[in-house]
Every structure is written in C-alpha cells, then in structure tokens.
Amino acid sequence: MLPQQFTERMQKMLGQEYRAFEDSYQKERYQALRVNTLKGTKEDFLKKAPFSLEEVPWEENGFYYGGEDAPGKHPYHEAGVYYIQEPSAMAPAAYLGALPGEKILDLCAAPGGKSTQIAAAMQGQGLLISNEIHPARAKILSENMERMGVRNAVVTNESPQTLSQLYSNYFDRIMVDAPCSGEGMFRKNEQACEEWSMENVRLCAKRQLEILDCAASMLRPGGRMVYSTCTFAPEENEETIGAFLRKHPKFDVSTVKRYDGMEAGVPEWMAQPEEKVARTIRLFPHKLHGEGHFLAVLEKQGSLSEDAGYCANGFEKGISEKDVKEYTQFREQYLNADLTGRLFRFGEQLYQMPEFMPCVKGIRVLRPGLHLGTFKKNRFEPAHALALALKPEEAVHTMELSAESAEIRAYLNGQTLQGEGEKGWYLIRVDGYGIGWGKLAGGVMKNHYPKGLRKNIVC
C-alpha cells in the first residue's frame, strides 16, 4: 500500500500519467549488474557469462539480467567480476564522467555501487575518497571496495562538515548521492514505504542542502558535481537544486544527453520556479526499465588557475621499503605487480597508498589504499584484498578453477584442495579472475579464503 499523501501528490504531479505510474508497482522490477572493468574487459565477461543479459542504455558496462538468473550466488560475484546494481542507480556515476588520474570524492558512498563504478572509470589512477558518515554502512562500503579490487581508494567515516574543513577547491569531481526519503525504492524496499512521511521529506531536503553546501567548497573551479536522489519529491529534487543555485551563483546546471525514457526536471513543481532545473533528469519506473531517480549535473565556473586548492593536513609521506623487508621478500618471490613506492603501515597492516593521499591523522579511515597484507612473526601474509586486485599476469603462481567445478565450491566453502607445483603462495583464480589465496605444501593447497566470507555457492 502506497502512503495516501504520497499518491495524492504524485497524482497532482503526473496528471493523466499517474495510472501508468501506479500500474508500474504491480510489475516485476528490473534487475541489473555492472561489469567490473578493473577485473577484465566487458567483452571477455560476455563470452563467459552464464546469464541472460541486455544492455542498460546509460551505462556502457551495465546489463539487465533475467529473473531466472542468480548472479549473487555465482563465484564471479565473490571474485568481484561484477556489482549487482539497480539500473537507474547506475546513471549518476555515469554522468559524473570520472577519468584516470583525477582527484574524486564520493561524499555519501555506502554501500558502494557508485564508488566502485567511479573506481572502474579511474582504472586505478588518481585518488578516490569514498566517504560514509554511518560506521556500519562505512564498513559495508569498505568491503565492497575490496571485493571489486579497487586499488586507489581511501574509505573514510566522517561527516561532510568535517571533510569540508580539510579540503578547499580540491576535487576534480564530487558525487553527492544524498540521503533521501527513498520514494523511488518503494517497489524494491517495503520498509522505505512504511517509514515515509512528508515530515521526513522536509528533513531530508534540509539535510541535502547542507551536504551540497559542504561539497561546493571542496570542488575546484571548473570541476563537476553530480547530485542524485532516489526519490520523486520535488522538495528533495528541483527545490533543493534551486535553493543551491541561489546560494552558490558560481554553479550552473549542465545540459547533458537524456536517454530514451528519461524526463526533464519540472520548474513548475517548485515554489519559486527556476528554468535551469529543466536541465536536470528524472527517471520514472513507468517510463524506463528502472526505479525512480533524480540527478543534476552541476559545473563550478572558473579555471584551476583562479583559486588553488589545498588539503589542510598535507599528505602522507609513506615509509621506506627498508622498513618492510618481509613484504619486499614476499613481493619479489610471488608477485609480478608494480606494488612498490608509496607504502603506509598501520600497526601490523601494510597498504599501498594512492596518488595524492592526504594525511589521515585525526580522520576516521577504514581503508587507506590497497591492503597488501599483515606482518606475522618475521613473515608477511598477503591480504584477501590483494588477491582480488591482482590481474592474472601479476601473480607468479596461480591455480585455475572453473566456475562450474566442484573445486571452486569447495574452495569458497573453506576446504583444502589438491595441487602440484612449487610450494608457496598461489593466487586462486576462477576462469581467470583472482578470487583468493592458497598456500601449497606437500601436494595440499591450504585454503586462505577468509572465514567470514565462506559460503556455499551455486554454480
């Protein structure tokens, strides 16, 4: 049952279209996945994929899958080959247009769909700060960044206000997928429907503008910011963008391509109509194959030379490789990857820092780059994150398993395997995709797949 105040408002907004909108709630929702190009090419995945796939128009690596498919239970999911993502939710990061080598902030990043999408576009180059204010959700975000093999991300657990005090005119692009009333997810999430109220809509709108204010000061002149919500409420969409533009005259709404089924924002739904919001984009479930969404592409006027950006805490210097000889020995023996240079040690944990990594002193950080491994009594044990980030040619020893084999099910369930070859660490791969570590000795491959991730997998 849709809330009465919600349906009354939507009837006023949509007029004759309302019946088609209401009927969409009786239909099966569309499900999709996004191929992770950090793990391999889209073309290679399509040759191997055991699913029925159809392209998502606005995301080049996005595909709808059939209701009979279960990609979340396939070994490829555990290997980070793809991310299961609502198709409309792929649009904002696609419009962000991230490029390799840039400095990018995802301000409200959990659970990680948009951050991992941005990371794939960056191809491991530059700096991605993925932030989430809620600790439990920040942990899920960090886990998803690990599963997708992201090397150049720093995952933080801070408020937008705290971050805005540290960075000024610093980021090339900022993603603001703001907390919202979730109206666009009613078909997907019954709890969102039950918790909805007009009071919450107004509270969300107030909070969204505060978040945008913080983001505005952190974006460099000439930079791009994408604001998005998964709600239909004009108060959280057109009204929020209108209020933001009045407060920040250096910003403008970009004119961007709209794909079939995408609608323009509606100035007439505002208390103070602003024609620029007609350049924003609305996604309705009765118009396209996806849930409800809204996005605005915002550009900050100016050029880099006008106002140099800064990071208040400076940058991490890292440590010398002379201080991590156990890791150096491991790398020389087992890796062909370029994992040298900017190293960061936190207790017994070792990370490779991304470019431009800021000093993390005084900041709640869950992941300061790529987790390389742990120091244990004069030896180095590689991290699961490293296995997921390695390309096939970057490991000296590998063990190949088929996604349809009993061996991959046994491995993901924590069982030992039989193996032959030189003793030591092996990258376990499923159809060429790194999925975890094993250590071979005496013909037995000891299983190093993390205990907390072990499960029965359907092949």
Side-chain angles (χ1 to χ4, degrees):
M1 293 289 291
L2 296 173
Q4 182 177 348
Q5 281 186 295
F6 169 76
T7 58
E8 290 174 352
R9 190 201 68 208
M10 294 304 297
Q11 288 178 37
K12 291 179 181 178
M13 289 170 60
L14 297 177
Q16 293 181 347
E17 286 188 23
Y18 178 74
R19 180 55 60 86
F21 171 79
E22 187 178 48
D23 289 346
S24 71
Y25 284 83
Q26 308 305 316
K27 300 175 182 177
E28 288 292 323
R29 63 186 180 89
Y30 287 85
Q31 300 180 93
L33 58 83
R34 178 175 42 77
V35 180
N36 179 17
T37 54
L38 295 176
K39 299 287 289 194
T41 66
K42 175 177 67 175
E43 291 72 22
D44 185 54
F45 168 74
L46 292 175
K47 293 176 184 177
K48 303 173 182 177
F51 315 123
S52 173
L53 301 173
E54 181 182 345
E55 292 183 351
V56 174
W58 45 85
E59 167 50 53
E60 62 178 343
N61 297 306
F63 294 88
Y64 300 102
Y65 61 84
E68 71 282 359
D69 295 319
K73 297 181 179 180
H74 195 277
Y76 287 176
H77 181 267
E78 307 311 306
V81 178
Y82 48 73
Y83 190 102
I84 297 173
Q85 189 174 15
E86 198 283 310
S88 292
M90 297 180 188
Y95 278 101
L96 187 67
L99 295 172
E102 293 185 319
K103 299 188 290 290
I104 299 179
L105 170 65
D106 187 355
L107 195 50
C108 314
K114 295 174 179 64
S115 265
T116 55
Q117 190 175 356
I118 294 166
M122 297 178 76
Q123 286 295 302
Q125 301 173 45
L127 170 69
L128 171 60
I129 294 184
S130 298
N131 180 70
E132 173 57 43
I133 190 171
H134 299 289
R137 286 171 55 80
K139 182 180 178 183
I140 295 171
L141 167 65
S142 185
E143 291 169 351
N144 278 323
M145 298 298 274
E146 175 178 294
R147 181 172 62 85
M148 301 298 278
V150 178
R151 297 190 184 196
N152 62 321
V154 177
V155 177
T156 58
N157 172 214
E158 287 293 349
S159 69
Q161 289 78 10
T162 296
L163 293 181
S164 67
Q165 294 170 7
L166 299 175
Y167 304 102
S168 176
N169 299 313
Y170 187 73
F171 295 100
D172 299 297
R173 301 176 198 263
I174 298 179
M175 181 78 239
V176 181
D177 184 40
C180 70
S181 57
E183 295 173 1
M185 296 295 117
F186 282 177
R187 182 165 62 166
K188 178 182 176 182
N189 185 351
E190 290 185 9
Q191 186 176 355
C193 188
E194 294 168 359
E195 294 177 351
W196 182 89
S197 70
M198 278 304 300
E199 180 184 6
N200 189 42
V201 168
R202 289 187 286 269
L203 287 173
C204 286
K206 180 177 182 294
R207 182 166 60 237
Q208 289 153 1
L209 189 55
E210 292 172 351
I211 293 172
L212 278 173
D213 287 343
C214 293
S217 67
M218 292 188 280
L219 186 69
R220 69 163 175 84
R224 169 175 287 195
M225 179 162 67
V226 172
Y227 170 79
S228 69
T229 70
C230 57
T231 191
F232 303 112
E235 293 90 338
E236 302 178 66
N237 297 332
E238 287 91 347
E239 291 281 14
T240 294
I241 293 301
F244 176 77
L245 293 175
R246 290 191 293 272
K247 193 171 182 180
H248 299 274
K250 285 189 175 182
F251 279 81
D252 198 4
V253 183
S254 292
T255 300
V256 293
K257 174 184 177 179
R258 292 203 302 267
Y259 293 84
D260 289 346
M262 291 183 175
E263 298 288 316
V266 184
E268 290 74 22
W269 291 344
M270 304 170 65
Q272 301 180 51
E274 167 58 67
E275 288 304 314
K276 290 181 178 180
V277 304
R279 303 175 200 159
T280 64
I281 295 175
R282 278 183 169 270
L283 291 79
F284 287 102
H286 67 293
K287 292 281 190 176
L288 45 68
H289 296 166
E291 303 304 309
H293 235 80
F294 172 89
L295 68 92
V297 180
L298 302 165
E299 304 282 351
K300 190 173 184 178
Q301 298 172 12
S303 60
L304 276 174
S305 60
E306 289 185 14
D307 196 354
Y310 75 91
C311 174
N313 285 353
F315 302 91
E316 287 290 348
K317 296 180 180 179
I319 59 175
S320 170
E321 290 196 17
K322 294 185 294 184
D323 299 324
V324 288
K325 61 180 182 180
E326 297 92 344
Y327 165 68
T328 302
Q329 292 169 356
F330 170 85
R331 189 190 69 225
E332 291 176 349
Q333 187 173 359
Y334 296 113
L335 300 180
N336 295 318
D338 182 17
L339 295 173
T340 59
R342 294 171 54 80
L343 300 176
F344 178 82
R345 183 166 182 170
F346 186 78
E348 299 306 307
Q349 309 303 318
L350 185 67
Y351 296 82
Q352 184 186 43
M353 298 187 294
E355 301 174 73
F356 321 115
M357 179 163 152
C359 178
V360 298
K361 184 178 180 180
I363 306 175
R364 291 191 292 271
V365 176
L366 280 70
R367 173 189 165 105
L370 173 62
H371 188 198
L372 298 174
T374 307
F375 295 97
K376 293 187 175 182
K377 295 181 180 179
N378 298 320
R379 63 185 176 88
F380 184 81
E381 186 168 300
H384 183 59
L386 177 58
L388 293 167
L390 290 175
K391 292 180 170 58
E393 66 276 10
E394 293 181 318
V396 172
H397 302 309
T398 61
M399 183 178 192
E400 192 72 43
L401 304 176
S402 167
E404 300 177 354
S405 68
E407 286 81 6
I408 189 63
R409 293 196 295 272
Y411 176 75
L412 293 173
N413 198 29
Q415 300 175 37
T416 58
L417 303 174
Q418 299 301 308
E420 295 181 358
E422 185 179 340
K423 70 176 183 179
W425 290 99
Y426 280 67
L427 177 65
I428 309 299
R429 305 191 309 188
V430 54
D431 293 346
Y433 302 115
I435 197 169
W437 291 107
K439 196 171 187 182
L440 184 63
V444 176
M445 185 71 72
K446 185 178 179 181
N447 195 317
H448 280 262
Y449 195 72
K451 293 181 179 179
L453 298 178
R454 294 176 182 179
K455 60 181 72 174
N456 291 316
I457 292 291
V458 176
C459 296

